[in-house]
Amino acid sequence: MKSGREQLRPLKMVINRNLLVLAFGFTLVASVVHASIDSERKPYIVYMGEARGAGISTSDEHHNLLLATTGDESIAKSSKIYSYGKSFNGFAARLLPHEVKRLSDEDGVVSVFANTRNRLHTTRSWDFLGMPQTAKRRLDIESNIVVGVLDTGIYVDAPSFNDDGYGPVPAKWKGKCVKGANFTGCNKKVIGARYYNLENIDVENQSPADLDGHGTHTSSTAAGTAVKDASLYGLAQGTARGGVPSARIAMYKVCWGSGCSDMDLLAAFDDAISDGVDIISVSIGGDSRSFFQDPIAIGSFHAMKKGILTSCSAGNGGPYPGTVENVAPWIMTIAATSIDRQFTTAFKLGNGMKSTGISINTFSPKKETYPLIDGARASNSSGDYYGNIRYGSGNTGSSGQDYTIKELNGAGVITSLDAPTDIAYTTIIPGTTVQLKDGYKIDVYINSTKNPRAVIYKTRTTTMRAPFVASFSSRGPQLISLNILKSGQPDIAAPGLGILAAYSKLASVTGYPSDSRYSHIQHHIRNINVLPACCSRRRLRQDLPPRLVTGCDQVCTHDYR
């Protein structure tokens, strides 16, 4: 049965092959009408607090609750989706509205909340933090640290997860390695891997394999082994490594193309705590909500009671205040800052004007210059303009104009933004993002010559002032519980802008199927949110790496609004 929620369907657009159409995205909203919403069962999570003691069957307890609520044995059996009981108590079930109310009133039930979908938060950084490769290490301790990562899966064959030189798996480890499509197993570095799809949605590749790249990237940032001469098509070449290179990794795949569901997140926490991880890393979030209805808050609370620290990214809702996510006081919430490396992409106009924008452009030009056209003149263009560099404008560097122009056989794109940006997006064709003042100059040039031309050069790395808080990084204060003194969240800031780390070869560099570039190393905007793994056993403020910014430090901020 389809959901009663509004269904969003893309408005199909037909573009004349001789025209360049720059348009805002539209969606066509259609409502699906049901005879009675109250008769539709929807997935809910029933949270019941602490796990029961030995000898008590939580599964039977959950069934009996459902039986008392529904009054029907067969409905009680068919409605239950999953029982949590290893590390905390609760279950997921498909319920009717009046059953939700009845369960909420039951003794022993802490909360009942609808299952929702959360979203993902998308080499030199450790040196910048003052943690060089030559730093003194306690390998005997670090190799027994197990970092549990809740994410999109992992690509074990990446060089960052090579297990050469690793000893046996730590004796404390009780986890599993679940095999499946494109995932043949674990090793002594990646010692655990599970996946969760409790709603049984139709997904590709039911296995812990990473088809997105996000989970591989965050895992290697946390604990990837050192990989010499790593680069993204020659960019940012150096040794890529994680914060604790000798640590082990356990992947809990909870995210699919449609997002990361509450019930899957709770199942992963339930297993990770029981498996024996030492720290849990979560680069996932959603709109902040009551702690009793937040799966990350619930899971991390029970992890904390077992002495396991959960570190979470603060979110990508910046630069606006009050957008911070993952705000429970027992979570270490981490904002994203820059390092002193920036990716700049130069371009040159036919009149000799040179300037730079920001992007990740791995392409070198094959011609000296290319014909240049702007969006306003696109309606009058002919097929002769195919292969051109197009100039457009917008308010985000990830508007997909590069993909649109690639589909029109364009050679590249120069995008002008009406606000400053610090985010370098990877383009599927040669491209760069420039500030509005340069956009005006390009516009004047196009309108003042009969044959405007331009060329975009391959991206270079340059040095910039750092650290500063990334424009996308969510800001405080947290608004969920104003009585908590920890209202100045995020708690800490660490590099999360322009970070290169491992990537899945099951996903293209840009994520577009038509992109033929695949790489073991990729640039992403990710918080290094597992930094506490380096110092979780030495909590004193003075023991933190020198450029790990805490709430009482001064940090350079920019106003991007």
Side-chain angles (χ1 to χ4, degrees):
M1 182 179 294
K2 291 184 178 180
S3 169
R5 296 174 182 172
E6 292 180 330
Q7 306 295 305
L8 297 180
R9 301 183 182 279
L11 178 63
K12 189 173 181 181
M13 302 180 68
V14 179
I15 302 177
N16 187 295
R17 66 183 300 273
N18 292 324
L19 302 179
L20 172 66
V21 180
L22 298 180
F24 296 103
F26 293 91
T27 55
L28 182 63
V29 180
S31 297
V32 180
V33 180
H34 289 270
S36 173
I37 294 177
D38 287 345
S39 66
E40 182 185 359
R41 292 189 172 275
K42 296 181 180 180
Y44 283 82
I45 293 163
V46 181
Y47 172 53
M48 302 173 66
E50 292 293 326
R52 297 294 184 254
I56 300 176
S57 172
T58 55
S59 182
D60 289 345
E61 179 187 20
H62 302 157
H63 174 76
N64 291 337
L65 261 178
L66 282 169
L67 178 58
T69 301
T70 63
D72 187 287
E73 180 78 25
S74 62
I75 293 177
K77 285 184 178 180
S78 63
S79 63
K80 192 177 78 170
I81 300 172
Y82 191 82
S83 280
Y84 310 103
K86 296 178 181 178
S87 307
F88 48 85
N89 190 16
F91 62 93
R94 292 182 176 87
L95 303 172
L96 297 175
H98 72 276
E99 294 169 350
V100 172
K101 176 65 169 62
R102 186 176 299 174
L103 280 168
S104 299
D105 294 336
E106 286 283 342
D107 291 338
V109 172
V110 178
S111 61
V112 182
F113 56 98
N115 178 63
T116 62
R117 294 203 166 272
N118 301 274
R119 53 188 175 266
L120 291 164
H121 287 157
T122 218
T123 55
R124 163 162 169 71
S125 51
W126 298 114
D127 291 324
F128 178 74
L129 283 172
M131 298 172 62
Q133 281 186 274
T134 55
K136 187 176 180 180
R137 298 277 188 179
R138 288 291 305 275
L139 299 183
D140 57 330
I141 295 176
E142 290 185 3
S143 64
N144 281 305
I145 293 175
V146 180
V147 180
V149 183
L150 278 58
D151 218 292
T152 63
I154 194 166
Y155 186 69
V156 178
D157 293 331
S160 294
F161 308 128
N162 189 306
D163 67 351
D164 288 349
Y166 278 80
V169 172
K172 66 181 179 180
W173 179 244
K174 295 176 288 187
K176 294 181 179 179
C177 184
V178 180
K179 299 179 182 179
N182 288 321
F183 193 86
T184 57
C186 300
N187 58 23
K188 289 183 288 185
K189 173 68 174 178
V190 181
I191 62 174
R194 300 176 186 254
Y195 69 94
Y196 305 86
N197 182 15
L198 299 184
E199 285 187 275
N200 198 29
I201 58 174
D202 185 17
V203 296
E204 181 184 1
N205 207 317
Q206 292 254 20
S207 82
D210 186 6
L211 302 185
D212 178 272
H214 189 282
T216 300
H217 194 275
T218 54
S219 298
S220 68
T221 304
T225 58
V227 179
K228 294 181 179 180
D229 298 322
S231 72
L232 175 62
Y233 289 89
L235 297 179
Q237 188 166 5
T239 299
R241 57 194 169 90
V244 192
S246 299
R248 319 293 179 122
I249 297 169
M251 171 55 65
Y252 300 85
K253 182 175 179 177
V254 295
C255 299
W256 308 86
S258 57
C260 323
S261 80
D262 290 350
M263 62 175 72
D264 289 347
L265 279 163
L266 277 173
F269 268 108
D270 197 23
D271 283 335
I273 297 167
S274 177
D275 287 346
V277 303
D278 296 292
I279 184 168
I280 296 175
S281 170
V282 185
S283 291
I284 300 166
D287 295 336
S288 293
R289 43 186 158 157
S290 162
F291 299 149
F292 290 131
Q293 297 185 349
D294 183 339
I296 297 177
I298 292 171
S300 60
F301 176 79
H302 290 280
M304 178 269 298
K305 294 194 72 174
K306 297 290 186 180
I308 302 167
L309 176 66
T310 300
S311 64
C312 296
S313 48
N316 294 345
Y320 306 105
T323 54
V324 62
E325 302 170 12
N326 299 319
V327 300
W330 46 86
I331 294 174
M332 180 169 281
T333 310
I334 304 179
T337 62
S338 67
I339 59 174
D340 58 353
R341 178 182 64 202
Q342 186 177 38
F343 296 98
T344 57
T345 304
F347 67 93
K348 180 181 177 182
L349 302 183
N351 63 0
M353 171 188 159
K354 298 179 180 178
S355 190
T356 59
I358 183 170
S359 71
I360 300 287
N361 171 39
T362 66
F363 306 99
S364 296
K366 296 180 179 179
K367 299 178 182 179
E368 186 173 343
T369 60
Y370 296 78
L372 177 66
I373 190 171
D374 65 11
R377 296 177 183 237
S379 59
N380 297 320
S381 66
S382 68
D384 293 337
Y385 281 95
Y386 282 147
N388 300 350
I389 297 173
R390 261 74 172 197
Y391 158 67
S393 63
N395 59 8
T396 173
S398 61
S399 58
Q401 292 184 18
D402 57 330
Y403 178 78
T404 300
I405 293 168
K406 181 185 187 319
E407 293 299 295
L408 294 171
N409 297 319
V413 58
I414 302 174
T415 303
S416 172
L417 297 188
D418 55 10
T421 183
D422 51 14
I423 306 171
Y425 289 98
T426 305
T427 56
I428 194 171
I429 55 175
T432 189
T433 300
V434 302
Q435 297 303 313
L436 202 58
K437 63 178 182 179
D438 285 333
Y440 285 138
K441 293 177 182 178
I442 296 172
D443 209 29
V444 169
Y445 167 65
I446 289 174
N447 287 286
S448 63
T449 182
K450 292 182 179 180
N451 184 29
R453 302 185 72 84
V455 63
I456 300 172
Y457 297 102
K458 184 177 180 178
T459 296
R460 299 176 57 209
T461 57
T462 56
T463 302
M464 66 176 178
R465 181 187 174 195
F468 60 83
V469 177
S471 60
F472 66 84
S473 188
S474 294
R475 268 66 167 173
Q478 63 89 6
L479 305 176
I480 297 301
S481 183
L482 300 181
N483 292 326
I484 295 177
L485 293 178
K486 191 185 173 185
S487 60
Q489 283 192 328
D491 303 302
I492 205 165
L497 178 66
I499 305 302
L500 274 81
Y503 197 65
S504 174
K505 276 206 166 183
L506 300 176
S508 70
V509 167
T510 57
Y512 293 124
S514 58
D515 191 348
S516 60
R517 294 170 299 167
Y518 291 83
S519 176
H520 277 306
I521 299 292
Q522 172 61 305
H523 149 271
H524 270 284
I525 305 156
R526 306 285 185 240
N527 287 357
I528 300 182
N529 72 342
V530 72
L531 262 170
C534 308
C535 51
S536 61
R537 303 190 187 280
R538 45 186 181 123
R539 303 293 179 85
L540 295 178
R541 166 72 179 83
Q542 59 266 30
D543 286 335
L544 291 173
R547 295 201 180 182
L548 191 63
V549 182
T550 66
C552 55
D553 287 314
Q554 295 295 317
V555 64
C556 175
T557 59
H558 296 281
D559 187 358
Y560 288 94
R561 283 167 284 170

